[in-house]
């Protein structure tokens, strides 16, 4: 419904493969649904690998914390998107940025790319005050309790890549 016409020649396109793509009968081009890449990052302390930094989003209300995330912009590499988003939301620069896996998030049309990174300097941490209203350090004990539901802190849902990034770190996956 969002894209019924061929962006190259303006002809009405036809559905192919039950909607996985659209085909233009005039110029022959095949068009795939738009997918917006987004990055999500688990941050650990510059000096203490047993501490991670999570953020509380203004839209979530109190008590919920998660990894930092945002959309990659046009013309931006994923590495640049990670650096920019984290600088904007948490005020810090990064080192040891590692890709950890992805999750399709078709609501509406994004692909989440998960990373883990180490903060360059913990003293630079500050929330942006708009999207991220609070940042907070957690140690392994606190995360363990929250994962088991024994703490008032709420972590991301079990089906999310944010949860997987936190569980990976908690479980000590390298
Ligand atoms: Zn066409």
């Amino acid at each position: 419904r969002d894209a019924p016409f061929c962006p190259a020649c303006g002809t009405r396109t036809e559905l192919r493969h039950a909607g996985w793509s659209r085909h233009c009968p005039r110029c022959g081009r095949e068009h795939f649904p738009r997918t917006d890449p987004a990055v999500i990052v688990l941050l650990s302390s510059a000096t203490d690998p047993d501490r991670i930094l999570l953020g509380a989003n203004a839209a979530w209300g109190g008590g919920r914390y998660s990894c930092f995330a945002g959309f990659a912009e046009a013309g931006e590499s994923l590495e640049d998107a990670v650096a920019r988003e984290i600088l904007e939301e948490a005020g810090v620069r990064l080192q040891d940025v590692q890709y950890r896996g992805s999750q399709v998030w078709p609501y509406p049309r994004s692909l989440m790319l998960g990373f883990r990174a180490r903060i360059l300097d913990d003293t630079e941490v500050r929330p942006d005050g708009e999207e991220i209203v609070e940042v907070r350090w957690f140690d392994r004990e606190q995360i363990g309790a929250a994962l088991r539901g024994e703490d008032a802190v709420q972590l991301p849902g079990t089906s999310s890549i944010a949860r997987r990034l936190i569980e990976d770190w908690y479980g000590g996956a390298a």
Side-chain angles (χ1 to χ4, degrees):
R1 273 206 304 273
D2 281 355
F5 300 104
C6 174
C9 74
T11 302
R12 184 173 281 278
T13 53
E14 299 162 347
L15 279 182
R16 280 277 169 93
H17 309 301
W20 286 105
S21 70
R22 299 186 75 99
H23 176 255
C24 175
R26 184 159 171 230
C27 74
R29 274 175 223 228
E30 199 169 6
H31 302 287
F32 296 95
R34 171 172 157 185
T35 298
D36 297 329
V39 296
I40 182 161
V41 192
L42 180 72
L43 300 178
S44 62
S45 161
T47 54
D48 182 355
D50 289 326
R51 287 205 312 164
I52 57 173
L53 187 75
L54 300 178
N57 191 299
W60 296 341
R64 271 187 71 188
Y65 292 85
S66 187
C67 306
F68 299 89
F71 284 104
E73 294 177 350
E76 188 175 51
S77 71
L78 296 175
E79 293 83 349
D80 288 345
V82 166
R84 177 184 52 74
E85 279 292 340
I86 300 305
L87 190 63
E88 283 174 9
E89 294 187 357
V92 291
R93 293 166 295 153
L94 302 175
Q95 56 187 331
D96 301 340
V97 178
Q98 290 175 20
Y99 174 67
R100 304 294 299 180
S102 64
Q103 178 177 40
V104 289
W105 195 255
Y107 315 107
R109 53 189 178 200
S110 88
L111 174 65
M112 301 287 291
L113 298 128
F115 293 83
R116 191 197 284 183
R118 216 149 61 85
I119 292 171
L120 193 63
D121 178 353
D122 289 353
T123 67
E124 292 178 344
V125 169
R126 48 149 192 78
D128 69 9
E130 292 174 20
E131 192 177 348
I132 300 297
V133 289
E134 190 195 343
V135 293
R136 186 168 150 190
W137 290 104
F138 293 88
D139 62 22
R140 272 182 197 280
E141 206 172 320
Q142 291 169 309
I143 291 295
L147 286 173
R148 293 188 299 271
E150 296 166 0
D151 193 288
V153 165
Q154 281 185 286
L155 294 179
T158 50
S159 62
S160 68
I161 189 166
R163 177 80 170 210
R164 208 163 83 217
L165 290 168
I166 293 169
E167 286 178 343
D168 273 4
W169 168 83
Y170 180 70

